[in-house]
């Protein structure tokens, strides 16, 4: 089977790694890929999704897997399907679950799925009135896609009102902020649950935990994610069942009713408050860095999972996972997440494989020049460790971190701390 992965991050690299070891896969393509994906397949650049679909058709690509939300929100899946191609991802209509927070919150209300109390509006006065009824802190969100930066947690009413004004004026996020959601703050712990869906049936993947803040102990600015691990002990069978019954099933049923059956990966961002799951958000794609730990835990050939999901055949799949744990530690460049950094050569110690079984690197913001890899993106690469316990996986991931060097590298030293605390 010939498979193409759309995207250029660590997420797409990890999907590529899973496909590379899959006996059903004969050839791999990345569109556009990054500086390390040529180690796994061919990088392809096309001017738009139409051209990419033509490329897929001409090259007899059997399956395309879409990583990033922008491509989904822009309708890549609809374009490929119109040309009779098999593609794994959410349609443009279904991608509104991520593309518009207003659509998402109203959807949650329509189907009585638990979520934070909110108002959605483009009227500052209405937003301010609602702010006056809430306790601090207060959460203000821009409606559209803001690359993870459109959420403000305000510690005073004035700050919340200012955030609303800045968003509605277009000052903070352009058109993406012309509608806002204001909501109550939920105090609990966060979990990411990924559900592979074919519109009708679904498979829930092991729950993962991301670490969004830049620095240890969850301080510093929010980032795209600085590390993750799975499965997390912070969810048990009772909680899984609650999420399945109260969130997963009504979401799939609701999307069908809305005429936009959900195909692809549904990423449910949950806040667990007193053992009750509350939906913070949906994304319509794999999380990054969560994908980088879920892919190596997948025992079922990745091509089979994605192909069956893309062709409405999930009910005939018995999904299996390794009984191990996986941890990924993100190595970011010097100025992340504030700005770009000077390209820095990546040096990996030669003895990398000595004593470092069960580890690998997933490459993200890297480029290739004269045969050398350079750190050029914000999140540069992820050091992944696998093990029979979270502790073992973590030790391995950090051993690998010690062997990867580039000027200005920064990473958190406490990934999975909540799980280890929980285990004691
Ligand atoms: P979102 O893009 O909606 O997931 O928001 C980004 C991050 O902001 C989440 O991962 C949470 O850490 C935080 N957040 C969003 N909404 C809330 C809320 N209502 N209460 C507490 N934290 C929130
Ligand atoms: N790890 C969070 C995200 O991908 O949005």
């Amino acid at each position: 089977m010939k498979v193409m992965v759309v995207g250029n991050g660590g997420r797409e690299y990890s999907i590529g790694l899973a496909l590379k070891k899959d006996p059903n896969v004969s050839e791999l393509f990345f569109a556009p890929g990054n500086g390390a994906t040529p180690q796994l397949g061919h990088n392809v650049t096309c001017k738009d999704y139409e051209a990419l679909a033509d490329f897929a058709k001409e090259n007899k690509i059997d399956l395309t897997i879409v990583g990033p939300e922008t491509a989904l929100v822009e309708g890549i899946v609809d374009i490929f399907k119109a040309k009779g191609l098999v593609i794994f991802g959410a349609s443009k209509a279904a991608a509104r679950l991520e593309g518009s927070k207003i659509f998402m919150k109203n959807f949650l209300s329509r189907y009585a799925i638990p979520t934070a109390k909110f108002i959605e509006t483009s009227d500052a006065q209405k937003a301010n009135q609602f702010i006056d009824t809430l306790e601090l802190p207060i959460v203000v969100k821009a409606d559209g896609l803001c690359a993870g930066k459109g959420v403000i947690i305000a510690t005073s009413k004035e700050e919340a009102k200012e955030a609303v004004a800045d968003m509605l004026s277009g000052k903070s996020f352009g058109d993406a902020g012309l509608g806002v959601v204001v909501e109550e703050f939920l105090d609990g712990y966060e979990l990411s649950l990924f559900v592979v869906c074919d519109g009708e049936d679904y498979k829930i993947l092991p729950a993962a935990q991301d670490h969004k803040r830049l620095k240890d102990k969850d301080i510093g600015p929010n980032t795209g994610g600085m590390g993750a691990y799975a499965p997390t002990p912070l969810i048990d069978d009772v909680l899984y069942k609650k999420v399945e019954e109260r969130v997963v099933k009504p979401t799939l049923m609701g999307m069908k009713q809305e005429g936009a059956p959900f195909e692809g990966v549904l990423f449910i961002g949950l806040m667990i408050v007193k053992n009750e799951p509350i939906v913070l958000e949906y994304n319509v794609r794999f999380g990054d860095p969560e994908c980088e730990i879920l892919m190596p835990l997948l025992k079922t050939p990745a091509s089979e999972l994605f192909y069956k999901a893309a062709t409405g055949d999930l009910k005939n799949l018995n999904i299996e996972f390794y009984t191990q744990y996986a941890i990924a530690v993100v190595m970011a460049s010097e100025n992340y997440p504030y700005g770009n950094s000077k390209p820095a050569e990546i040096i990996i110690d030669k003895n990398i494989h000595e004593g470092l079984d069960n580890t690998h690197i997933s490459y993200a913001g890297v480029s290739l020049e004269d045969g050398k890899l350079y750190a050029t993106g914000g999140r540069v690469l992820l050091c992944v460790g696998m093990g029979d316990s979270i502790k073992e996986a973590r030790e391995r991931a950090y051993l690998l971190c010690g062997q990867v060097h580039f000027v200005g590298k920064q990473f958190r030293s406490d990934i999975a701390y909540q799980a280890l605390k929980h285990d004691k």
Side-chain angles (χ1 to χ4, degrees), residues 79-296:
I79 292 169
F80 271 59
K81 282 194 173 167
K83 292 186 195 282
L85 291 157
V86 176
I87 182 162
F88 175 78
S91 67
K92 187 172 182 168
R96 278 189 302 160
L97 275 186
E98 174 163 4
S100 165
K101 291 213 190 297
I102 293 179
F103 174 81
M104 182 249 310
K105 291 294 287 193
N106 287 330
F107 175 87
L108 289 165
S109 300
R110 272 201 295 287
Y111 296 94
I113 299 167
T115 189
K117 197 168 73 179
F118 75 104
I119 188 176
E120 55 88 356
T121 183
S122 44
D123 178 337
Q125 211 178 344
K126 277 199 189 136
N128 291 346
Q129 274 166 7
F130 186 66
I131 286 170
D132 284 331
T133 69
L134 293 177
E135 286 182 25
L136 295 173
I138 294 166
V139 185
V140 181
K141 301 182 176 184
D143 177 43
L145 289 183
C146 302
K149 299 188 183 77
V151 176
I152 307 287
I153 301 188
T155 49
S156 71
K157 296 197 170 173
E158 292 65 43
E159 193 191 341
K161 289 176 185 175
E162 215 169 289
V164 166
D166 285 350
M167 285 182 193
L168 291 179
S169 69
K171 207 160 95 192
S172 326
F173 303 111
D175 286 354
L178 297 182
V180 295
V181 168
V182 178
E183 68 182 25
E184 65 175 337
F185 180 83
L186 299 171
D187 195 9
Y189 61 89
E190 281 185 63
L191 285 183
S192 316
L193 203 67
F194 295 88
V195 189
V196 174
C197 309
D198 69 1
E200 188 81 35
D201 290 291
Y202 60 88
K203 303 283 173 192
I204 301 180
L205 310 188
Q209 200 177 33
D210 187 11
H211 298 64
K212 288 217 167 75
R213 301 297 194 103
L214 182 69
K215 303 249 185 224
D216 284 6
K217 302 199 174 78
D218 291 326
I219 56 173
N222 258 332
T223 68
M226 292 301 289
Y229 68 96
T232 168
L234 299 175
I235 182 164
D236 58 15
D237 289 346
V238 178
L239 192 50
Y240 262 118
K241 201 76 205 152
K242 282 184 190 170
V243 179
E244 186 171 7
E245 294 302 324
R246 296 183 199 166
V247 182
V248 177
K249 287 185 180 169
T251 302
L252 291 188
M253 190 270 292
M255 289 305 282
K256 233 170 88 178
Q257 268 187 30
E258 309 260 323
F262 194 90
E263 293 173 26
V265 185
L266 180 67
F267 167 166
I268 307 173
L270 293 165
M271 188 71 88
I272 309 300
V273 183
K274 300 192 183 102
N275 272 323
E276 300 300 326
I278 304 184
V279 176
L280 281 182
E281 63 163 349
Y282 295 110
N283 293 306
V284 297
R285 39 116 191 136
F286 271 117
D288 189 350
E290 292 95 325
C291 188
E292 287 93 321
I293 47 167
L294 292 173
M295 283 299 112

